[in-house]
Amino acid sequence: MRRLAMKWMAACLMLMALAGCGYHTSGHADLLPKRIKTIAIPAFGNNTTRYRLPGILSKAIAREFISRTRYNVVADPEQADAVLTGGVATYASYTTTVQSGRASGVEMIVTLQVTLTDRATGKVLFTRPSMEVRERYEVTADQRAYFDESDAALDRMSRSVARSVVSAVLENF
C-alpha cells in the first residue's frame, strides 16, 4: 500500500512539472519569421475628422516596437522586410456623464485596421481588420478652468493601442 502511494505521489509530481513547461509571460514571444529584421510603419490612413490621430497612432506603435523588440523601424517601406500598414476607420465621442446640465465625462471610440505584411512574399503576417479602442476622459465643470482633455486622451489611447498591437503581432494572437 505504501509503494502504491509513493508511485501515485511521484506521478502527480511529474504531471505538475509537465503542466508548467509552457508558461511564458504575454508580449515577450516573437513568432515572426527570423529573417525579418526591419519593419516600416508608414503614416496610417484616415477616414475621420481627427486629422492628428493617424500620425499619433503610427508614431506610438513605432516607439513601442523600438522599445520592446529587436526590430529596426524604418520609414521607407522599400527598405524594410515587413510593412505595418493601418488606417483609422471611425472616430466617435460620446458624453457619458452629465453634471449640472454639462458634460463631465466623455468616451472616445476609435476603430482601426492594422496589417503586417512580409514584403518579400506578400504574405500577411498579422491583421486586425476591425480593432476597436475606447478611452474615457473627464471634462471640468468650471468653465473658467476649462482645459480640453481630448488631446491628452488621444495620447493615452495611442500608447494603449501601441502596446496592444505590438503584443498581438509578437504573439500572433
Side-chain angles (χ1 to χ4, degrees), residues 14-158:
M14 189 178 293
L15 283 174
M16 287 180 8
L18 289 174
C21 290
Y23 175 78
H24 71 282
T25 57
S26 174
H28 296 288
D30 190 352
L31 301 178
L32 294 179
K34 297 296 179 202
R35 63 182 166 65
I36 293 180
K37 307 281 188 233
T38 58
I39 297 176
I41 305 175
F44 282 14
N46 189 9
N47 290 335
T48 72
T49 58
R50 296 301 295 226
Y51 69 93
R52 287 185 55 230
L53 186 55
I56 292 170
L57 287 169
S58 57
K59 286 177 186 173
I61 292 170
R63 277 192 304 270
E64 192 73 13
F65 264 109
I66 291 168
S67 69
R68 285 184 47 197
T69 71
R70 61 177 171 83
Y71 302 108
N72 292 323
V73 176
V74 296
D76 184 11
E78 296 298 318
Q79 297 176 352
D81 300 320
V83 180
L84 184 98
T85 56
V88 180
T90 63
Y91 169 87
S93 61
Y94 302 98
T95 301
T96 58
T97 311
V98 177
Q99 210 173 27
S100 302
R102 290 182 39 93
S104 62
V106 177
E107 182 171 31
M108 292 185 304
I109 303 170
V110 176
T111 307
L112 50 128
Q113 298 114 7
V114 181
T115 303
L116 181 67
T117 308
D118 185 331
R119 210 171 68 77
T121 65
K123 179 182 174 189
V124 173
L125 302 171
F126 170 82
T127 187
R128 278 288 182 281
S130 184
M131 180 178 183
E132 184 177 280
V133 185
R134 296 171 181 259
E135 180 70 32
R136 190 173 185 287
Y137 63 95
E138 300 296 318
V139 178
T140 182
D142 184 4
Q143 291 179 348
R144 292 170 291 167
Y146 178 75
F147 177 73
D148 184 15
E149 283 288 325
S150 64
D151 286 342
L154 283 175
D155 288 337
R156 284 191 307 274
M157 182 177 54
S158 69

